[in-house]
Amino acid sequence: MSEGEVVEQLVEFTNILLLGVSVFFTVVSAYIAALNYFIGQAAFIARFLAFLFVTVVLLMLGAVMMGGQLSHEGLIARLDELNQQGALSAAGRALLANSADRPIFGIGLSLDDSVRLGVWTVSAVIYASLFYLTFFHRWRPDIVPVSLQPANADQTD
């Protein structure tokens, strides 16, 4: 694989990562809306099945992201091979620098590692929050009762 192909794939990987975050946000938002409007007041078995469903969806998304993570590591390894051969341009060296360990907040993480750690940490915290919201939070309906009154027959426009 040439450097140009690797660089192109790494740039595309950024788009895939952002798409994955977008899908995650959509799934979590839809589930929270469902909790507010009907799952929150449902019987335990319905809440359990809804949580099981969202768990399966998030696990599938996580599996896809793990596959992407492995592909990303392979692409970085290829850039490292090209760098050892002295055949890497400035663009390739810049992308390779993202995987180099740098002290960030006193922790020696690469930029790639810090993004990866952030995504997995936020995902775990949100999943734990969904667990709490599904099984322990007492939901109150967010619906305001509305009453319709018939129009007065004496009124004219």
Side-chain angles (χ1 to χ4, degrees), residues 69-80:
Q69 181 177 322
L70 291 173
S71 298
H72 181 264
E73 290 169 1
L75 292 168
I76 293 297
R78 178 62 182 144
L79 281 181
D80 194 38

Side-chain angles (χ1 to χ4, degrees), residues 8-148:
E8 178 186 0
Q9 292 299 315
L10 284 171
V11 170
E12 185 60 29
F13 179 78
T14 303
N15 293 333
I16 292 170
L17 175 66
L18 292 175
L19 181 63
V21 169
S22 172
V23 170
F24 182 83
F25 178 76
T26 301
V27 168
V28 169
S29 297
Y31 186 72
I32 290 174
L35 279 170
N36 187 48
Y37 289 108
F38 54 92
I39 297 173
Q41 293 91 22
F44 177 79
I45 190 70
R47 285 183 286 146
F48 175 77
L49 291 174
F51 189 74
L52 182 64
F53 175 76
V54 82
T55 298
V56 168
V57 170
L58 292 177
L59 282 174
M60 288 189 302
L61 184 58
V64 169
M65 294 304 284
M66 286 175 67
Q69 181 177 322
L70 291 173
S71 298
H72 181 264
E73 290 169 1
L75 292 168
I76 293 297
R78 178 62 182 144
L79 281 181
D80 194 38
E81 289 172 353
L82 292 169
N83 191 38
Q84 290 173 3
Q85 297 169 2
L88 205 57
S89 70
R93 286 191 304 272
L95 286 172
L96 193 57
N98 287 340
S99 67
D101 289 344
R102 298 181 202 165
I104 300 173
F105 302 116
I107 302 170
L109 289 176
S110 70
L111 184 59
D112 290 344
D113 288 339
S114 61
V115 169
R116 191 175 305 126
L117 179 65
V119 167
W120 289 114
T121 302
V122 168
S123 297
V125 168
I126 289 175
Y127 184 77
S129 299
L130 292 179
F131 181 83
Y132 168 77
L133 291 172
T134 301
F135 296 111
F136 298 107
H137 183 72
R138 295 291 162 225
W139 289 92
R140 290 171 187 62
D142 216 13
I143 301 168
V144 178
V146 176
S147 64
L148 299 175

